[in-house]
Amino acid sequence: MNTQELTKAFFETPKGKGVLEDLNDEYIHRKLVLTQSKYFLESSIGKAFLELEERGFLISMECGENGGDGRAKMESEAGHPYIFFNRLEFRDLVSTGSTYLHFGGVILETDDEYDSDLDIDLREEQVANVIKNMLKKYGINSWDDGAGHVYLDLGEKYAESFSLYDLIYKANIHLFSHEKDELILRFLGGFIKEDEFISIDIDPKDKEINVYKHFNDLFNQTFDNFHTFFRELLLNEDWIKFDTNWMKFSDIPDKDKSDYLNDLYHWEQAYHSIEKILDEESLKVRISRILKRGKQEIDFIIKDK
């Protein structure tokens, strides 16, 4: 079966039909503070995008099925410069730290960087330069190909820019992932609520205890303990929060949920993906940001399992 036939076959499945329904929904642009985690927005790339948004850019981290589809959606908001990734490009960024973004439109304000008499090619060049200069300001390497794309590389420590939800769920999920992977990875990705910990107003000592406990539960368990612990937690969740256009987990009767989660393969896949995403040093950086303390003060050791 060739790629075209495979894609066609996928879009005839319940999940494929749900994805198409999601993609075909009327596009409504929302600001980054409404779509992205606080953890991401406090990173270098998050700050760069927020500053571009302040300058009038429309920015979407996951827009459209492909470049043409995403561009049409962004250009429906007439008169703005824009940046977008489609789902696969954002997944590449979260998985590797490198990808390319699409850009277009015109800069609205009149300043030294914009001349309304320039032809469309030069206007696009100006938009590209504004994007690259902003990324450079925040220490991010980038370059453009002259065809509506800016390539960027966040470097070796790219994972520090993204929430655990992005690193666990969005980096590992794809169109052909099993529904159980969807459920388990979304649940595990949201287990450590970093934004909540960053914002929470409780006694610092209580906060520290909770943060260390959550990180140890997720990163420092043998597989058997990991599976037993998180399976029990998931069984007690309200599964309606995991429903998608292609799978209504909440329709599974409570009496069948235990059997549904018995397949060890999907838990093993999730466990090994979590083992790979961050090393001890990166986890200390992440915990230090949440606790607002220096990395050298963080006492977190990855145990041999």
Side-chain angles (χ1 to χ4, degrees), residues 226-257:
F226 172 92
H227 171 245
T228 302
F229 178 79
F230 283 108
R231 183 178 176 277
E232 187 63 28
L233 283 184
L234 181 51
L235 281 173
N236 289 296
E237 287 282 325
D238 181 358
W239 286 17
I240 196 169
K241 69 175 71 171
F242 305 116
D243 284 349
T244 67
N245 281 344
W246 54 87
M247 179 61 190
K248 301 297 182 188
F249 294 101
S250 58
D251 287 346
I252 300 173
D254 288 345
K255 64 182 179 62
D256 296 332
K257 287 180 178 178

Side-chain angles (χ1 to χ4, degrees), residues 47-282:
K47 289 175 181 176
F49 282 173
L50 282 173
E51 191 166 340
L52 286 168
E53 194 173 63
E54 287 177 4
R55 292 197 57 177
F57 276 75
L58 303 179
I59 302 176
S60 177
M61 306 303 287
E62 296 174 273
C63 181
E65 178 186 358
N66 52 45
D69 180 40
R71 194 172 294 276
K73 286 180 166 68
M74 297 302 288
E75 289 182 351
S76 67
E77 303 276 345
H80 290 269
Y82 60 81
I83 290 168
F84 74 91
F85 305 93
N86 68 33
R87 298 177 186 213
L88 293 178
E89 290 146 6
F90 183 59
R91 181 172 176 242
D92 284 345
L93 184 62
V94 175
S95 302
T96 68
S98 299
T99 193
Y100 64 85
L101 57 82
H102 304 261
F103 71 88
V106 295
I107 298 173
L108 295 179
E109 70 259 33
T110 301
D111 58 20
D112 293 339
E113 294 184 17
Y114 176 59
D115 182 342
S116 60
D117 293 330
L118 291 174
D119 64 33
I120 191 65
D121 288 334
L122 289 178
R123 289 184 193 180
E124 285 203 349
E125 183 179 333
Q126 285 184 324
V127 175
N129 287 337
V130 170
I131 295 169
K132 290 186 295 182
N133 287 337
M134 188 65 73
L135 292 172
K136 182 178 180 181
K137 175 180 176 180
Y138 287 94
I140 299 167
N141 294 323
S142 66
W143 61 98
D144 71 285
D145 62 3
H149 306 112
V150 168
Y151 291 77
L152 65 153
D153 186 350
L154 301 182
E156 291 182 2
K157 297 183 178 180
Y158 71 90
E160 294 175 7
S161 296
F162 300 102
S163 69
L164 287 174
Y165 183 81
D166 287 339
L167 294 171
I168 293 173
Y169 174 65
K170 292 188 176 179
N172 289 292
I173 212 71
H174 52 80
L175 291 180
F176 295 96
S177 293
H178 193 278
E179 63 195 36
K180 290 180 185 177
D181 294 318
E182 291 270 352
L183 175 64
I184 292 169
L185 289 170
R186 287 175 66 197
F187 168 63
L188 294 172
F191 176 69
I192 297 180
K193 298 177 175 63
E194 291 158 315
D195 288 2
E196 200 172 293
F197 275 130
I198 289 171
S199 306
I200 199 167
D201 185 21
I202 62 171
D203 180 88
K205 190 64 179 176
D206 290 340
K207 183 175 181 179
E208 181 178 353
I209 290 169
N210 279 293
V211 167
Y212 275 111
K213 181 183 185 310
H214 277 70
F215 274 83
N216 273 300
D217 287 341
L218 192 60
F219 292 97
N220 265 339
Q221 300 206 59
T222 63
F223 173 70
D224 286 343
N225 290 340
F226 172 92
H227 171 245
T228 302
F229 178 79
F230 283 108
R231 183 178 176 277
E232 187 63 28
L233 283 184
L234 181 51
L235 281 173
N236 289 296
E237 287 282 325
D238 181 358
W239 286 17
I240 196 169
K241 69 175 71 171
F242 305 116
D243 284 349
T244 67
N245 281 344
W246 54 87
M247 179 61 190
K248 301 297 182 188
F249 294 101
S250 58
D251 287 346
I252 300 173
D254 288 345
K255 64 182 179 62
D256 296 332
K257 287 180 178 178
S258 181
D259 288 340
Y260 186 78
L261 293 178
N262 273 345
D263 190 338
L264 287 180
Y265 172 78
H266 301 284
W267 286 102
E268 287 173 343
Q269 293 290 103
Y271 180 78
H272 292 308
S273 72
I274 288 172
E275 279 190 318
K276 293 175 184 175
I277 63 170
L278 294 170
D279 58 21
E280 186 175 296
E281 199 69 10
S282 296

